[in-house]
Amino acid sequence: MKLERLPLPGLASIVPSRLGDKRGFFSEVFKDAWFRENVADVTFVQENESLSATIGTVRGLHFQLSPFAQGKLVRCIAGKVFDVAVDIRVGSPTYGRWFGLELSMENGAQLWIPPGFAHGFATLETDSILSYKVTAPYSAEHDRGLLWDDETIGIEWPIDVNEVILSEKDLEQPRLVNLPVSFTYS
């Protein structure tokens, strides 16, 4: 597996090796001991999948508060997405900064997003499916979000932002300036 530490402390890109021939390929996409030793010593408790049927669908930016704060290991198993993490750890030298990475079946890349980041993505192809492992179960009571197009964050979405498809929930999320302290940097 190829590991790359990303510009925001805690984020990592992981690209599993693929062994292929004329039939296709084989890949070990997750190894618990390798992940614990090289990325984060965490336990994944749930795996989720989401299908976004239309190009330009934006989901996020989402996170959960403690004690249900989630680390996420995200990969795209069909289609293509632009996956984004925003540092919301008060006191972090990269507070309010974002990082985006294209995830697709073709590139096999995965993004590790530890607790303390808001997460979201935009679909770049129809019928895009994200699969992601999480370190805490979903809790509606602890579920929070951040506005996907907050100009102070300035995410450069590679889609037509005038044509996005959003849920009502994601349309009503707060801007960073109005976000209560959810995480602190240590």
Side-chain angles (χ1 to χ4, degrees), residues 50-57 59 121 123 125-129 165:
S50 72
L51 165 69
S52 298
T54 307
I55 294 172
T57 298
R59 294 182 186 258
F121 65 91
T123 55
E125 291 184 0
T126 58
D127 298 323
S128 291
I129 301 175
I165 300 166

Side-chain angles (χ1 to χ4, degrees), residues 8-125:
L8 304 184
L11 293 183
S13 169
I14 302 157
V15 182
S17 301
R18 289 179 172 174
L19 302 171
D21 60 22
K22 64 183 177 185
R23 299 168 297 162
F25 69 83
F26 171 83
S27 181
E28 293 178 341
V29 297
F30 177 77
K31 292 172 75 170
D32 183 69
W34 181 91
F35 192 88
R36 287 176 186 274
E37 182 178 327
N38 294 284
V39 183
D41 188 12
V42 297
T43 299
F44 292 104
V45 300
Q46 185 172 311
E47 188 161 351
N48 304 318
E49 244 180 52
S50 72
L51 165 69
S52 298
T54 307
I55 294 172
T57 298
V58 173
R59 294 182 186 258
L61 302 160
H62 302 146
F63 61 95
Q64 287 190 171
L65 300 174
S66 290
F68 292 94
Q70 295 179 323
K72 297 178 181 179
L73 181 59
V74 184
R75 68 189 187 113
C76 184
I77 59 174
K80 186 186 317 182
V81 302
F82 183 68
D83 206 70
V84 174
V86 178
D87 188 346
I88 57 171
R89 301 168 296 176
V90 173
S92 168
T94 57
Y95 178 77
R97 290 188 34 206
W98 65 276
F99 181 83
L101 182 66
E102 188 175 285
L103 304 179
S104 69
M105 176 61 186
E106 287 73 32
N107 69 21
Q110 300 178 40
L111 182 60
W112 164 245
I113 305 166
F117 288 81
H119 169 252
F121 65 91
T123 55
L124 304 177
E125 291 184 0

